Amino acid sequence: MAGNTFGNLFKITTFGESHGKAIGIVIDGCPSGLKINERFIQKELKRRRPGQSQITTQRNEDDKFEILSGVFNGKTTGTPLTMLIYNLDQHSSDYENIKLKYRPSHADYTYDIKYGIRDFRGGGRSSARETAARVLGGAIAKLFLKKYKISIEAYVSQVGNVSLDKDYTEIDLTQTEKNIVRCPDNETALKMISLIESVRNDGDTIGGTINCVIKNCPAGLGEPVFDKLQAQLARAMLSINAAKG
Amino acid sequence: MAGNTFGNLFKITTFGESHGKAIGIVIDGCPSGLKINERFIQKELKRRRPGQSQITTQRNEDDKFEILSGVFNGKTTGTPLTMLIYNLDQHSSDYENIKLKYRPSHADYTYDIKYGIRDFRGGGRSSARETAARVLGGAIAKLFLKKYKISIEAYVSQVGNVSLDKDYTEIDLTQTEKNIVRCPDNETALKMISLIESVRNDGDTIGGTINCVIKNCPAGLGEPVFDKLQAQLARAMLSINAAKG
Amino acid sequence: MAGNTFGNLFKITTFGESHGKAIGIVIDGCPSGLKINERFIQKELKRRRPGQSQITTQRNEDDKFEILSGVFNGKTTGTPLTMLIYNLDQHSSDYENIKLKYRPSHADYTYDIKYGIRDFRGGGRSSARETAARVLGGAIAKLFLKKYKISIEAYVSQVGNVSLDKDYTEIDLTQTEKNIVRCPDNETALKMISLIESVRNDGDTIGGTINCVIKNCPAGLGEPVFDKLQAQLARAMLSINAAKG
Amino acid sequence: MAGNTFGNLFKITTFGESHGKAIGIVIDGCPSGLKINERFIQKELKRRRPGQSQITTQRNEDDKFEILSGVFNGKTTGTPLTMLIYNLDQHSSDYENIKLKYRPSHADYTYDIKYGIRDFRGGGRSSARETAARVLGGAIAKLFLKKYKISIEAYVSQVGNVSLDKDYTEIDLTQTEKNIVRCPDNETALKMISLIESVRNDGDTIGGTINCVIKNCPAGLGEPVFDKLQAQLARAMLSINAAKG
């Protein structure tokens, strides 16, 4: 069955495996006449990129996106907007050794049971790399929402037992990108980084919490009863790898 | 836009306002040949009923359901299964006084902004009464899942700062219905009840946490990437009134 | 699987069997604030009613509809609009003799193969009676489209080899309801009726063609490429029993 | 709004403009473990290609497809199967002269009204070139259906007033590809070709009828009432450019 589509009016479909030829997204229903700022999209993509710091996964994914359809003379036309990122690193020799092993807490076992076949190279479709396609979709959505002055900003508010106990109104959100853990409060950020490094030295990982602030969101968005805004946001968030609550 | 439908193969659509003629559900895609145990459905409905104890809302909703379609000679036929609950209490004089007032933390304001019109009797469509229709759908789903020995059991694991800190494997789930707060550990249940009563005396309410245990769930349910099981469960849960996390 | 829903923004779900308790429709996404003219709806329902003339099926279905939800003080509220028609004639003794027989050109065999169970009373779900629920949905849609001066009028343009060879611009559409075959040209109508009667005397039936004229339809309705207006109309038309081209 | 997706379990989304970078398709829900015969897909694509004969459009589209995702070691994995065809001929200078003109019976005017912007190069999204993406989807579907010995074969049965008045059971369907008009009866085919050439000499075009024969189709496919097989086929067929009945 088909589960790679999200949304109704602005409908996204993502595709692609971690070590296949490419990953990408089709956005169907994007309003026409929207100016496509490619630098902004590239910047959003860069923010997602692993290997930016010592504290996260170290694979360097220097992603470049390409627009295949839906844009004419720099503007959307209302037809499906398709964007691709070619995977530079397709050699899967690194992954031969996991071919016969299921990694704990990964989807390897589930995929085998469900599909009877598994693209074992880097998690295939279940790799977190799939989120790069979502970032492309999110960047287009942000460009559209900007016209209505709606902003969406997220930050790390907790790592393990280190948490930022301020309300978002007391926080300077422009500071979020200033440190590698993306907590807008520098003091708390330093504590988080130090906790992550210590856990990492033990060969472990640690979870955290992300807060998201949406400004100028109009009243009445979402559709009762099953498509309430918070319900669809919860679905989207929990469809991200490793998101748990 | 339409948001009252959930699911794809087993697709439910709920309808009805708190003080309208009736609330109900259409289940489209329910497999044929399923025996309909009406007593079980009625029992599930009774479990939802408010006014069962001193600690919750006191409206007494003695709901009787009626099957309109989709069942023939006691079995489902594969056609849409429609169930109704007539609202006994339709007189809305009680609600005249809230006609012009928005209740805090209710959807009154949002509905007015979104629709420009509002059935102000008891919250109308935004009333928690809508969940009675979901219970009907859930009861049918449970009857179907029983054939595969899949069980779904929920219990209250936390109220305010009183929490049950045992793993579900250490808990006797048959005890859940034995007390009015539905915590399977009697000692913890008593503390929860006492906390609720004290908060209630202050004219306030208090939140809690529900745990749900699904047994015999086969591997591979749900569809990557946006229809993962946990993503759709999150959506369903957060579409319930007053559910927040 | 679920196939009883049609539409996206104005989404209808029909339910009910020919000789079950009731048939009905849930309209999800109907705009709020629409005045519900019950007399108009009842008139539309009456137009569908079989047994109106000597030339069609003779079962008399004096249908009365009932609104269960979605309307408050005579106007739609934007919540699901549910309408019911109770089946007066539920005694299925007439149908005992077809319990074990498949009627030619009916869905009896297909339903048995597909569902393994069949509500054999009058065709159950596959009865043309299901279209009464569609008429309710169509009546609401017409009320809404009237606000935009969009009209939808259909007439019989051909029966067997008798056809009305005029363009719709040369036809007085107000004459359509003046005769029992619903051809707006009286002379042609008489020929059609006489052909039907002669075929009927032979114990046979005969097919025909219906033309539909939509006025004031704005340019750009429908969505390329699979939801073009003509594509969705074709789907809707060919989902009607006995429609073949 | 989004209209470029068709299907539910085997869900296709097509994208791309006539003179954009590429056109393509995402197939979501294709069963895993299906062997991908690339030569068969290429052959299907070649059958669609215009410019194959003197009697149709003369643009030569020597299309090569490329698989981007969903296939691993020659088999489908159950993840979205994405296929691309790069457009070789993107220079739009030929189309500068139609920039300001609406071609009769094309979607030019409608697109301008609907989207306020138009990719005027070769019809953009409304070009018949979009069907190449459908052919890719159809080829995969055929590979899957072959496992169940279900075949789908179409042929031209009528051009203008020249028609093939034999039942499909009397026709040798292996002859369909033997002539350029694709009518399996050679004598009729010659008459059709001669009619097309004469119309073409007058600077006109002429319509026709296609018959399609599906063998080994199991009983019970499709879902009552709106997703009946014939209803969804009608929708699919009438979503093709220039299909009218």
Side-chain angles (χ1 to χ4, degrees):
Chain A
M1 248 189 74
N4 296 281
T5 293
F6 187 83
N8 197 2
L9 299 179
F10 186 96
K11 182 185 271 182
I12 65 170
T13 301
T14 68
F15 57 84
E17 287 82 40
S18 173
H19 287 65
K21 264 197 191 167
I23 61 169
I25 188 169
V26 182
I27 304 173
D28 193 6
C30 182
S32 61
L34 183 69
K35 247 189 214 166
I36 293 305
N37 180 340
E38 301 206 7
R39 279 184 54 196
F40 173 75
I41 303 172
Q42 193 64 57
K43 219 177 89 189
E44 289 286 288
L45 211 50
K46 209 171 172 179
R47 283 180 56 220
R48 191 208 74 94
R49 194 166 55 112
Q52 296 182 67
S53 70
Q54 296 300 329
I55 58 169
T56 56
T57 321
Q58 300 205 20
R59 175 180 175 179
N60 196 317
E61 298 177 356
D62 193 4
D63 293 328
K64 296 262 177 288
F65 76 97
E66 192 175 310
I67 295 174
L68 287 189
S69 69
V71 176
F72 183 53
N73 291 340
K75 285 185 179 172
T76 57
T77 58
T79 61
L81 201 172
T82 309
M83 291 185 281
L84 273 193
I85 302 168
Y86 277 96
N87 292 323
L88 301 175
D89 184 15
Q90 294 179 47
H91 59 85
S92 50
S93 58
D94 308 354
Y95 291 98
E96 278 299 318
N97 67 324
I98 62 158
K99 187 176 173 175
L100 303 163
K101 287 179 202 157
Y102 294 139
R103 292 165 302 166
S105 296
H106 281 75
D108 300 348
Y109 170 74
T110 316
Y111 268 66
D112 257 10
I113 291 293
K114 186 175 180 71
Y115 298 113
I117 186 176
R118 181 166 54 98
D119 182 344
F120 49 77
R121 301 166 303 170
R125 179 70 181 150
S126 72
S127 164
R129 184 155 173 68
E130 183 266 335
T131 57
R134 300 185 185 205
V135 167
L136 294 175
I140 300 294
K142 277 185 177 177
L143 286 174
F144 177 69
L145 294 175
K146 265 185 191 172
K147 292 171 80 168
Y148 301 93
K149 313 233 178 286
I150 300 172
S151 70
I152 301 175
E153 289 167 296
Y155 60 90
V156 171
S157 60
Q158 188 187 5
V159 172
N161 56 5
V162 179
S163 67
L164 175 57
D165 292 322
K166 288 179 183 164
D167 190 76
Y168 75 91
T169 52
E170 305 167 64
I171 294 171
D172 179 3
L173 293 174
T174 65
Q175 299 301 303
T176 305
E177 305 286 319
K178 294 284 164 70
N179 57 66
I180 54 177
V181 81
R182 280 169 184 156
C183 171
D185 183 89
N186 201 44
E187 204 180 335
T188 314
L190 290 172
K191 285 186 204 154
M192 288 172 174
I193 293 168
S194 133
L195 174 60
I196 294 170
E197 277 167 354
S198 114
V199 164
R200 188 183 184 87
N201 285 340
D202 297 347
D204 206 351
T205 58
I206 192 164
T209 307
I210 293 165
N211 278 19
C212 182
V213 180
I214 304 177
K215 287 181 182 159
N216 287 320
C217 183
L221 274 196
E223 299 300 321
V225 294
F226 297 109
D227 294 339
K228 287 173 186 168
L229 189 55
Q230 66 175 23
Q232 287 291 9
L233 285 177
R235 175 185 166 201
M237 289 307 107
L238 282 176
S239 75
I240 295 175
N241 279 0
K244 287 299 164 207
Chain B
M1 247 188 78
N4 296 281
T5 294
F6 186 83
N8 197 2
L9 299 179
F10 185 96
K11 181 184 273 182
I12 65 169
T13 301
T14 69
F15 58 85
E17 287 83 39
S18 174
H19 287 65
K21 264 198 189 164
I23 60 169
I25 187 168
V26 181
I27 305 173
D28 194 6
C30 181
S32 61
L34 183 69
K35 248 188 213 162
I36 293 304
N37 180 340
E38 301 206 5
R39 280 186 53 197
F40 174 75
I41 302 171
Q42 193 63 57
K43 219 177 89 190
E44 290 285 288
L45 211 50
K46 211 171 171 179
R47 283 179 57 220
R48 191 207 75 93
R49 196 165 55 109
Q52 295 182 68
S53 70
Q54 297 300 328
I55 58 169
T56 56
T57 320
Q58 298 205 23
R59 175 177 175 183
N60 197 317
E61 299 177 355
D62 193 4
D63 294 329
K64 296 264 179 284
F65 76 98
E66 192 177 309
I67 296 176
L68 286 190
S69 69
V71 175
F72 183 53
N73 291 338
K75 285 185 180 172
T76 58
T77 58
T79 60
L81 201 173
T82 309
M83 290 186 280
L84 273 195
I85 302 169
Y86 277 96
N87 292 324
L88 301 177
D89 185 14
Q90 294 178 48
H91 58 86
S92 49
S93 58
D94 307 355
Y95 292 98
E96 279 298 318
N97 68 324
I98 60 159
K99 189 175 172 176
L100 302 163
K101 290 180 201 155
Y102 295 139
R103 294 166 300 168
S105 296
H106 281 75
D108 299 346
Y109 170 74
T110 316
Y111 269 65
D112 257 8
I113 291 294
K114 187 177 180 70
Y115 299 113
I117 186 176
R118 180 165 56 98
D119 182 344
F120 49 77
R121 302 165 303 170
R125 179 73 182 150
S126 72
S127 163
R129 184 154 174 70
E130 183 266 335
T131 58
R134 301 187 185 204
V135 167
L136 293 175
I140 300 293
K142 277 185 175 175
L143 285 174
F144 178 69
L145 294 174
K146 265 185 190 171
K147 292 171 80 166
Y148 302 94
K149 313 229 177 290
I150 300 172
S151 71
I152 301 175
E153 289 167 297
Y155 59 91
V156 171
S157 60
Q158 190 187 4
V159 172
N161 58 3
V162 179
S163 67
L164 175 59
D165 291 323
K166 289 178 183 166
D167 191 75
Y168 75 90
T169 53
E170 304 167 65
I171 294 172
D172 179 2
L173 292 174
T174 64
Q175 298 302 302
T176 305
E177 306 286 320
K178 294 285 164 69
N179 57 66
I180 53 174
V181 80
R182 280 171 185 155
C183 170
D185 185 89
N186 201 43
E187 204 180 335
T188 314
L190 290 172
K191 285 185 205 154
M192 288 171 174
I193 293 168
S194 131
L195 174 60
I196 293 170
E197 279 168 353
S198 113
V199 165
R200 189 184 184 86
N201 285 339
D202 297 348
D204 205 352
T205 58
I206 192 165
T209 306
I210 293 165
N211 278 18
C212 182
V213 180
I214 303 176
K215 288 182 181 157
N216 287 319
C217 183
L221 273 195
E223 300 300 322
V225 295
F226 297 109
D227 294 338
K228 289 174 184 167
L229 189 54
Q230 66 175 22
Q232 287 291 8
L233 285 177
R235 175 185 165 203
M237 289 306 107
L238 281 177
S239 75
I240 296 175
N241 280 359
K244 289 297 164 206
Chain C
M1 249 188 75
N4 296 281
T5 294
F6 186 82
N8 197 2
L9 300 179
F10 186 95
K11 181 186 273 182
I12 64 171
T13 302
T14 69
F15 57 85
E17 288 82 40
S18 174
H19 287 65
K21 264 197 192 168
I23 62 169
I25 188 168
V26 182
I27 305 173
D28 193 6
C30 182
S32 61
L34 183 68
K35 248 189 213 163
I36 294 304
N37 180 340
E38 301 206 6
R39 279 184 54 196
F40 173 75
I41 303 173
Q42 193 63 56
K43 218 178 91 189
E44 288 286 287
L45 211 50
K46 209 172 173 180
R47 283 178 57 220
R48 191 209 74 94
R49 194 165 56 110
Q52 296 182 67
S53 69
Q54 296 301 329
I55 58 169
T56 55
T57 321
Q58 300 203 21
R59 174 179 175 183
N60 197 316
E61 298 176 356
D62 193 4
D63 294 328
K64 297 264 179 285
F65 76 97
E66 193 176 310
I67 296 175
L68 287 190
S69 68
V71 175
F72 183 53
N73 291 340
K75 285 186 180 172
T76 58
T77 58
T79 61
L81 200 173
T82 309
M83 291 185 279
L84 274 194
I85 301 169
Y86 277 96
N87 292 324
L88 301 176
D89 184 15
Q90 294 179 49
H91 58 85
S92 51
S93 59
D94 309 354
Y95 291 99
E96 278 300 316
N97 66 324
I98 62 159
K99 187 176 170 174
L100 303 162
K101 288 180 201 156
Y102 294 138
R103 293 165 301 166
S105 296
H106 281 75
D108 299 347
Y109 171 73
T110 316
Y111 268 66
D112 257 9
I113 292 294
K114 186 176 181 70
Y115 298 113
I117 185 175
R118 180 166 55 97
D119 182 344
F120 48 77
R121 301 166 303 170
R125 180 71 181 150
S126 72
S127 163
R129 184 155 173 70
E130 183 266 334
T131 57
R134 301 187 185 204
V135 168
L136 294 175
I140 300 294
K142 277 185 175 176
L143 285 174
F144 177 69
L145 294 174
K146 265 184 191 172
K147 291 171 82 167
Y148 301 94
K149 312 230 177 289
I150 301 172
S151 70
I152 301 175
E153 289 167 297
Y155 60 90
V156 171
S157 61
Q158 190 186 6
V159 172
N161 57 6
V162 180
S163 66
L164 175 58
D165 291 323
K166 289 178 183 165
D167 190 74
Y168 74 91
T169 53
E170 305 167 65
I171 294 171
D172 179 2
L173 293 174
T174 64
Q175 299 301 303
T176 305
E177 306 286 320
K178 295 282 164 72
N179 57 66
I180 54 177
V181 81
R182 280 168 185 157
C183 171
D185 183 271
N186 199 44
E187 204 179 337
T188 315
L190 291 172
K191 286 186 204 153
M192 288 172 173
I193 293 169
S194 131
L195 175 60
I196 294 171
E197 277 168 354
S198 112
V199 165
R200 189 184 184 86
N201 285 339
D202 297 347
D204 207 351
T205 58
I206 193 164
T209 307
I210 294 165
N211 279 18
C212 183
V213 181
I214 304 177
K215 288 182 181 158
N216 286 320
C217 183
L221 274 196
E223 300 300 321
V225 293
F226 297 110
D227 294 339
K228 288 173 185 167
L229 189 54
Q230 65 175 23
Q232 287 291 8
L233 285 177
R235 174 185 167 203
M237 290 306 107
L238 282 176
S239 75
I240 295 175
N241 279 0
K244 287 300 165 205
Chain D
M1 248 190 74
N4 296 281
T5 294
F6 187 82
N8 197 2
L9 300 177
F10 186 95
K11 181 185 273 182
I12 65 171
T13 302
T14 69
F15 57 84
E17 287 82 41
S18 175
H19 286 66
K21 264 197 191 166
I23 61 169
I25 188 169
V26 181
I27 305 172
D28 193 7
C30 182
S32 61
L34 183 69
K35 248 189 212 164
I36 293 304
N37 181 340
E38 300 206 7
R39 279 186 53 198
F40 173 75
I41 302 172
Q42 193 63 58
K43 219 176 90 188
E44 290 285 289
L45 211 50
K46 210 171 171 180
R47 283 178 58 219
R48 191 208 74 94
R49 193 165 57 110
Q52 295 182 68
S53 70
Q54 295 302 326
I55 59 169
T56 54
T57 321
Q58 299 205 22
R59 175 178 174 183
N60 197 319
E61 300 176 356
D62 194 3
D63 294 328
K64 297 264 179 282
F65 76 98
E66 192 177 311
I67 296 176
L68 286 190
S69 69
V71 175
F72 183 53
N73 291 339
K75 284 185 180 172
T76 58
T77 58
T79 60
L81 200 173
T82 309
M83 292 186 279
L84 273 195
I85 302 169
Y86 277 96
N87 292 324
L88 301 176
D89 184 14
Q90 293 179 48
H91 58 85
S92 49
S93 59
D94 308 355
Y95 292 97
E96 278 300 318
N97 67 323
I98 62 159
K99 187 176 172 175
L100 303 163
K101 289 179 202 157
Y102 295 139
R103 293 165 301 166
S105 296
H106 280 74
D108 299 347
Y109 170 73
T110 316
Y111 269 65
D112 257 9
I113 291 293
K114 188 177 179 68
Y115 299 114
I117 187 177
R118 181 166 54 98
D119 182 346
F120 49 77
R121 301 166 303 170
R125 180 71 181 150
S126 73
S127 163
R129 186 156 172 68
E130 183 266 337
T131 59
R134 300 186 185 205
V135 167
L136 293 175
I140 300 293
K142 276 185 175 176
L143 285 174
F144 178 69
L145 294 174
K146 265 185 191 172
K147 293 171 80 167
Y148 301 93
K149 312 234 178 287
I150 301 172
S151 71
I152 302 175
E153 289 167 298
Y155 60 89
V156 170
S157 61
Q158 190 186 3
V159 172
N161 57 5
V162 179
S163 67
L164 175 58
D165 292 323
K166 289 178 183 168
D167 190 75
Y168 76 90
T169 53
E170 304 167 65
I171 294 171
D172 179 2
L173 292 174
T174 65
Q175 298 302 303
T176 305
E177 305 286 320
K178 294 286 163 69
N179 57 66
I180 53 175
V181 80
R182 280 172 185 151
C183 171
D185 184 89
N186 200 44
E187 204 179 336
T188 314
L190 290 172
K191 285 185 204 155
M192 288 172 173
I193 293 168
S194 132
L195 175 59
I196 294 170
E197 279 169 352
S198 113
V199 165
R200 188 184 185 87
N201 285 340
D202 298 346
D204 206 351
T205 58
I206 192 165
T209 307
I210 293 166
N211 279 17
C212 182
V213 181
I214 303 176
K215 288 181 182 161
N216 287 319
C217 182
L221 273 195
E223 300 300 322
V225 293
F226 296 110
D227 294 338
K228 288 174 184 167
L229 189 55
Q230 66 176 22
Q232 287 291 10
L233 284 177
R235 175 185 165 200
M237 289 307 106
L238 282 176
S239 75
I240 296 175
N241 280 1
K244 288 298 164 207

